[in-house]
Amino acid sequence: MAERLVGKPAPDFTMETVTGDGKDFGKVSLSDYRGKWLVFFFYPLDFTFVCPTEITALSDAAADFAALDTEILGVSIDSVHSHKAWITTPKDSNGLGPINFPLASDITKKVASDYGILIEEEGIALRGLFIIDPDGELKYQVVNHNDVGRSVEETLRVLQALQSGGLCAMNWKPGDKNL
């Protein structure tokens, strides 16, 4: 039986990263995000078809997330060198182009496994998106089949609902009253 993650401390991680401009490598840990909200999302592979639509949409909305004191971190099982190649390849050549957040490498697949989204027989992650609060508690998760992209608007809506501090009815939107 799968273990519940929502409402518990988010599984810790440390991974290598490449910056969104593809110029620098580094490392990131969950503890680096203490005091901020984190939208932490997995995608299956670099140089694929659905993944760049999600990554660029989240990148385009990065200022909206930043206004909500929220960082974004993308991760796949590819190496940081593959991430760098994808970021520095022009979009018209199947590249990603520069983005507004780093990409992390879960080359060992440990983090995808810890978050319960590793497809072991394929060695890749499902499209898992997690919202982690400033204290490190996992507040939200959504996992999609790899054929279907996620919604930036829904991610922003849920983040704002979580930050509202109250009970939010179905289809709650910013500005609506809490229950």
Side-chain angles (χ1 to χ4, degrees), residues 53-140:
T53 66
E54 292 185 310
I55 294 167
T56 57
L58 281 163
S59 180
D60 291 346
D64 296 328
F65 286 99
L68 297 168
D69 199 28
T70 302
E71 300 282 336
I72 303 170
L73 178 62
V75 59
S76 79
I77 54 89
D78 298 289
S79 73
V80 290
H81 303 288
S82 178
H83 291 339
K84 177 180 179 163
W86 199 24
I87 289 168
T88 59
T89 299
K91 288 181 182 181
D92 61 3
S93 298
N94 197 30
L96 190 58
I99 57 173
N100 295 309
F101 51 83
L103 294 180
S105 171
D106 182 23
I107 203 157
T108 66
K109 303 173 181 77
K110 180 182 181 336
V111 183
S113 179
D114 289 349
Y115 278 76
I117 59 165
L118 179 64
I119 306 171
E120 291 185 25
E121 60 275 13
E122 294 180 37
I124 61 173
L126 288 165
R127 292 184 192 287
L129 184 141
F130 304 86
I131 297 177
I132 302 169
D133 79 5
D135 296 321
E137 182 181 333
L138 200 149
K139 294 290 203 176
Y140 174 79

Side-chain angles (χ1 to χ4, degrees), residues 154 157-158 160-162 164-174 176-179:
E154 177 63 2
R157 184 194 76 81
V158 170
Q160 291 168 312
L162 290 168
S164 76
L167 300 174
C168 299
M170 173 97 171
N171 296 322
W172 179 95
K173 292 183 181 82
D176 289 353
K177 291 182 180 182
N178 291 16
L179 299 176

